Amino acid sequence: MKMSKFFAWLAIAVGVTYFFVPLLGTFEFSLRMRRGEYSLDAYGSVFSDVQFQQTFGFSMLMALFTIAFGMLLVVPTAYWVRLRLPQMRPFVEFVTLMPLVIPAIVIVFGYLRLYNSSSYIPFTGSTFGTNILLVMSYITLSLPYMYRSVDTAMRTIDVRTLTEAAEILGAKWPTILFKCIFPNVMSGVLSGAFITFAIVIGEFTMAALLNRPAFGPYLQLVGANKAYEPSALAIIAFAITWLSMGLIQLVSRFGKLTQSRP
Amino acid sequence: MPFLALANIKKSFGQTQVVHDFNMAIEKGEFISFLGPSGCGKTTILRMIAGFEQPSGGTIHINGKDQTRLKPNQRNIGMVFQAYALFPNMTVFDNVAFGLKVAGQPKAEIETRVKEMLKLIHLEHLADRYPYQMSGGQQQRVALARALAPKPQVLLLDEPLSALDAKIRVSLREEIRQIQRQLGITTVFVTHDQEEALSISDRIVVMNAGRADQIGTPSDIYNRPTTRFVASFVGTLNIIEATIVDPAAGTVMIGDQTIALRESIADKTGGETISLALRPEAGSLSESAKGDTALTGKVVSANFLGSVVRTRIAVGKNTVSFDMFNSPDLVMPAPDEVVTLRFSAGDLLVIRD
C-alpha cells in the first residue's frame, strides 16, 4: 500500500472515531435507564413528556413558517439578482453570509433593542408579535443556506431564456415566477427547506432570549435536570438532522435526473 | 405597407453602438434570414423585434401598429431559442399549451390546437413526455410548436439549429421551411450558417458591424455580392487584385495577363487597382469548357474534398482556387504544372466597397 493511501485511511479512521465514538457512547448511555439491562425507557419517557410534544410541535410550526416566508423572500430575490441585477450579486451574497459571522446572541440583542415593547414596532409586546420576531430571526439565521441552495438550483437552469420564452408567450411576472421558475428550482428549495428545518429544530439562543417554548430551550432544560433523557434527546436530534440531510440528497439526485438535456 | 417594418433602428449598449440606422421592410409570409458573424448585431435586431431590447432610436411596426414600446408579452410574437427553452417541469403537451393557457383560451380549444400543433411537427405520440426524455431535435420541434400554437403575427427563430448535429440540422431546417410555407407566417431567422440561410430564405440580410451590407434573394447574395464583406462571408470566393488598363474598354491586368470584363468600369481610372470576385465553381481546366476568358498559372496545390477537387493556382500575386467535380477518370493537376483556367467574363464581379 502506498504511503499516501495509508495516511488517507488513517485520517478517515481518526475522523470516524472522533465523530462516532461519542455518538455511540451517548446512544449506549441512553439505553441504560433500566438498571442492569438495555431498554428504550429514556425514549419512552421523552416521547410521553407533554413538554416535549409541546416544544417540538412549536418548533415544527416555527420551522414551517420560516421555510414558507423565507422562500417567499429568497426565491424572488435570487431570481431577480440573476436576471436583472447581476451587478448586485456580490452585495446580496455578502448580506446573506452575515448571519454566519454575526453571533446569534448579537442578532437577538439587536432585535430586543429595536423591537421591544416600548419601541415603534413593539413585536415583543405580545406573544403573537414575539412569534413573528422569532420566525424573522430564524429566516435571518437560515438565509445563508436558503439563498445558496436556491441560487445553485437556478444556476442549473437557464433562468433568462426560460423567462423570455414565457414572456414572449404572453406570461406576466407572477405566472413566470410560480409556473416556470419556481417548479424548476424545487430541488434547491427543498434542500434549503430541510436545512432550515434542522437549524430551527435545534436552535437555542433566539428562542431562549425571546422566551418562547421551543425545542432548543427544552433540550437545555432536560439536560440540566435529568440523566438519561438528554442522551435520548441528543440521539433524536441527530436523527432529525440526518433525516433532513438524507432528504436533501434524495431531492438533489431527483433534481439532477430531471435536468433538460442540451 | 410592409407587414413588418423596421425604420431607422439604432441600438447602443453604453458607448458602443451595435446597430446603426437599420431599415427593413418585410412582406407578409416572407422568410427572412439575418446572416452574419458573431457580434454583427443580428440577434440584437431580433431581440428588439421581440421586445427584449428597447431600440435607442427608430420604430418597429407590425401590421401597421407601432410595437416599439410594447412589452414582449403584448406583441403576439412567437420565438424559438437556440437553447430550446422548454419548461423542464412541463410535459410536451403542457409546453405547447402554455401560451394558450396564458391567453385564457377554453380548455377544449387548447386541446384541439395543441393536438393540431403536435400533428404538424409529427410528435403526437410524445405528448406526455418531459423535455429531458427527448432528443435535441425533438425538443426544438416542440419549441417550434409552442411558438406557433398561439397563432403569432411573426415567428422569430434565434439560431434554432445551432445546438443540433449536422444531419438533424438539415432535416429540421427543411421542416421549418415547409411549416412556414404551410402556415404562411412571416418569419425572421437568425443564423451565422450561410448554407442554412441560402437554402431556406426568401431574402437574406447580410449583417456586418451593425449594418445591413446587402439585402437580397439567396441567388443575389451568392452570385452578385455588392461588398467585399458579403463576397468573402457568403460561400468561398476568390478575391483577385487587378490593375485597370483601359476603363472604357473594360480591360484589366492580372499579373502580366490582360483580360476584358463584362461589367462596366468606365467610372474608374487607368492604373487604379480594383478587386474582382470569382467563385471557385465558375472556372474549369477543360479546353472544351464554355468561357470567353482564360488565365494561365502554376498549380500550387490540388486537394481532394470528396465530391470536388479544389485546385489553387498562382496568377501573378494572386492565388485563385477553383473546384472540379470528382469523377473516376479525373486527373488531378500536379504541383508546379502550368494550367489554363477558363471562365466566363460575366462571372468576374467588380467589388465596390
Side-chain angles (χ1 to χ4, degrees):
Chain A
M1 190 191 285
K2 280 185 188 170
M3 279 305 271
S4 59
K5 223 170 190 181
F6 169 76
F7 282 114
W9 279 110
L10 185 70
I12 289 172
V14 170
V16 167
T17 311
Y18 182 80
F19 285 110
F20 280 92
V21 168
L23 199 63
L24 278 173
T26 307
F27 180 61
E28 198 265 351
F29 185 70
S30 73
L31 301 174
R32 283 191 182 203
M33 195 171 180
R34 201 175 296 172
R35 200 172 287 267
E37 60 176 308
Y38 286 137
S39 72
L40 293 171
D41 286 1
Y43 293 89
S45 166
V46 165
F47 286 125
S48 60
D49 185 356
V50 178
Q51 249 193 315
F52 168 82
Q53 293 159 11
Q54 282 172 347
T55 55
F56 195 74
F58 179 80
S59 282
M60 285 268 281
L61 195 66
M62 292 295 109
L64 289 178
F65 279 119
T66 304
I67 290 164
F69 289 105
M71 285 305 169
L72 278 178
L73 174 74
V74 164
V75 175
T77 306
Y79 173 66
W80 210 249
V81 167
R82 199 156 265 285
L83 193 69
R84 295 263 185 261
L85 301 165
Q87 70 276 16
M88 289 292 285
R89 195 182 174 77
F91 174 73
V92 174
E93 290 205 339
F94 174 73
V95 169
T96 60
L97 281 175
M98 296 263 275
L100 286 183
V101 288
I102 300 174
I105 192 133
V106 174
I107 298 174
V108 79
F109 272 117
Y111 280 152
L112 287 172
R113 206 171 159 71
L114 273 172
Y115 304 117
N116 62 56
S117 51
S118 52
S119 72
Y120 290 112
I121 315 167
F123 274 126
T124 57
S126 67
T127 306
F128 181 69
T130 314
N131 286 344
I132 292 175
L133 195 56
L134 187 63
V135 167
M136 280 167 29
S137 68
Y138 285 158
I139 290 173
T140 308
L141 280 186
S142 52
L143 211 51
Y145 313 101
M146 277 207 228
Y147 185 81
R148 243 142 222 83
S149 56
V150 170
D151 192 51
T152 307
M154 282 199 182
R155 202 172 298 165
T156 63
I157 58 168
D158 189 347
V159 173
R160 179 177 292 274
T161 316
L162 284 184
T163 301
E164 288 180 351
E167 214 180 348
I168 201 87
L169 287 163
K172 294 194 173 83
W173 287 110
T175 312
I176 297 172
L177 197 59
F178 289 103
K179 291 209 167 148
C180 305
I181 303 297
F182 203 86
N184 292 308
V185 294
M186 207 33 124
S187 66
V189 169
L190 288 175
S191 297
F194 292 130
I195 259 192
T196 303
F197 182 77
I199 290 170
V200 171
I201 287 294
E203 205 284 327
F204 171 78
T205 318
M206 301 285 188
L209 288 169
L210 289 173
N211 196 25
R212 300 308 304 134
F215 191 57
Y218 170 74
L219 282 176
Q220 186 274 333
L221 188 74
V222 173
N225 297 302
K226 292 185 177 173
Y228 299 99
E229 285 87 341
S231 302
L233 276 173
I235 297 297
I236 292 167
F238 263 102
I240 292 167
T241 308
W242 284 351
L243 184 71
S244 299
M245 296 298 162
L247 288 171
I248 290 171
Q249 290 292 322
L250 204 71
V251 293
S252 48
R253 191 168 299 179
F254 179 72
K256 269 180 210 149
L257 278 176
T258 54
Q259 282 310 312
S260 188
R261 230 184 320 172
Chain B
M1 192 170 185
F3 188 71
L4 170 57
L6 308 173
N8 301 314
I9 296 290
K10 298 178 195 75
K11 180 67 187 175
S12 301
F13 292 109
Q15 297 296 311
T16 317
Q17 189 163 359
V18 291
V19 178
H20 306 262
D21 281 314
F22 185 85
N23 290 286
M24 173 109 206
I26 301 172
E27 295 305 325
K28 191 167 173 55
E30 249 193 314
F31 193 114
I32 300 290
S33 291
F34 281 58
L35 176 67
S38 298
C40 68
K42 56 188 190 300
T43 298
T44 307
I45 293 176
L46 191 87
R47 290 176 62 80
M48 285 193 278
I49 299 173
F52 296 133
E53 304 284 354
Q54 276 295 312
S56 310
T59 57
I60 299 169
H61 283 79
I62 299 178
N63 204 9
K65 195 180 161 201
D66 189 359
Q67 310 272 322
T68 321
R69 303 288 153 197
L70 290 184
K71 288 179 180 172
N73 54 18
Q74 297 168 326
R75 294 191 182 200
N76 189 23
I77 283 176
M79 186 158 172
V80 177
F81 299 83
Q82 183 181 346
Y84 322 139
L86 294 179
F87 306 121
N89 57 311
M90 295 181 202
T91 60
V92 166
F93 186 95
D94 290 333
N95 262 288
V96 178
F98 185 83
L100 304 166
K101 282 182 186 164
V102 166
Q105 294 204 6
K107 212 174 165 185
E109 267 180 44
I110 291 176
E111 200 165 326
T112 313
R113 180 71 179 156
V114 172
K115 281 182 180 164
E116 194 183 316
M117 285 294 105
L118 291 179
K119 199 173 171 193
L120 190 73
I121 56 161
H122 311 295
L123 289 179
E124 311 97 296
H125 58 294
L126 300 182
D128 295 329
R129 291 255 179 107
Y130 282 90
Y132 71 91
Q133 296 170 316
M134 304 171 80
S135 70
Q138 287 172 331
Q139 287 189 55
Q140 200 57 298
R141 276 150 74 195
V142 175
L144 180 67
R146 182 181 67 177
L148 291 170
K151 298 183 181 166
Q153 310 183 77
V154 175
L155 176 66
L156 305 177
L157 306 168
D158 185 10
E159 305 205 29
L161 309 172
S162 310
L164 304 172
D165 61 58
K167 216 170 178 181
I168 300 198
R169 222 159 41 213
V170 173
S171 66
L172 192 55
R173 81 179 181 216
E174 282 163 7
E175 201 171 331
I176 288 174
R177 180 57 160 154
Q178 189 199 330
I179 291 171
Q180 185 269 336
R181 277 205 177 113
Q182 196 177 327
L183 302 178
I185 186 166
T186 312
T187 303
V188 180
F189 177 70
V190 161
T191 181
H192 59 261
D193 185 324
Q194 40 166 307
E195 192 187 308
E196 258 168 41
L198 290 169
S199 63
I200 58 172
S201 318
D202 288 321
R203 280 192 297 158
I204 297 173
V205 182
V206 184
M207 297 285 302
N208 179 26
R211 290 187 170 86
D213 251 32
Q214 190 174 352
I215 301 175
T217 62
S219 167
D220 275 345
I221 298 287
Y222 190 82
N223 295 318
R224 286 173 289 281
T226 52
T227 69
R228 180 186 290 267
F229 175 78
V230 177
S232 59
F233 188 75
V234 182
T236 310
L237 199 75
N238 292 296
I239 303 286
I240 303 166
E241 300 297 327
T243 310
I244 295 175
V245 178
D246 182 353
T251 52
V252 295
M253 185 173 273
I254 300 169
D256 55 357
Q257 303 169 62
T258 303
I259 59 168
L261 301 179
R262 198 166 295 168
E263 196 175 330
S264 169
I265 49 168
D267 55 328
K268 308 272 183 193
T269 50
E272 193 182 335
T273 303
I274 57 167
S275 299
L276 303 171
L278 182 70
R279 292 274 173 211
E281 63 270 22
S284 171
L285 288 187
S286 164
E287 288 198 14
S288 60
K290 286 180 197 167
D292 47 15
T293 310
L295 281 174
T296 303
K298 204 181 254 185
V299 174
V300 177
S301 64
N303 297 312
F304 180 69
L305 302 177
S307 60
V308 294
V309 171
R310 178 158 294 171
T311 306
R312 295 169 71 226
I313 63 170
V315 182
K317 287 180 188 166
N318 300 286
T319 304
V320 182
S321 297
F322 65 98
D323 293 340
M324 295 180 288
F325 279 114
N326 178 29
S327 69
D329 50 348
L330 179 79
V331 181
M332 281 184 43
D336 292 333
E337 187 184 337
V338 175
V339 294
T340 300
L341 178 68
R342 289 181 171 77
F343 54 91
S344 164
D347 289 328
L348 264 181
L349 301 171
V350 180
I351 302 292
R352 298 169 197 275
D353 284 345

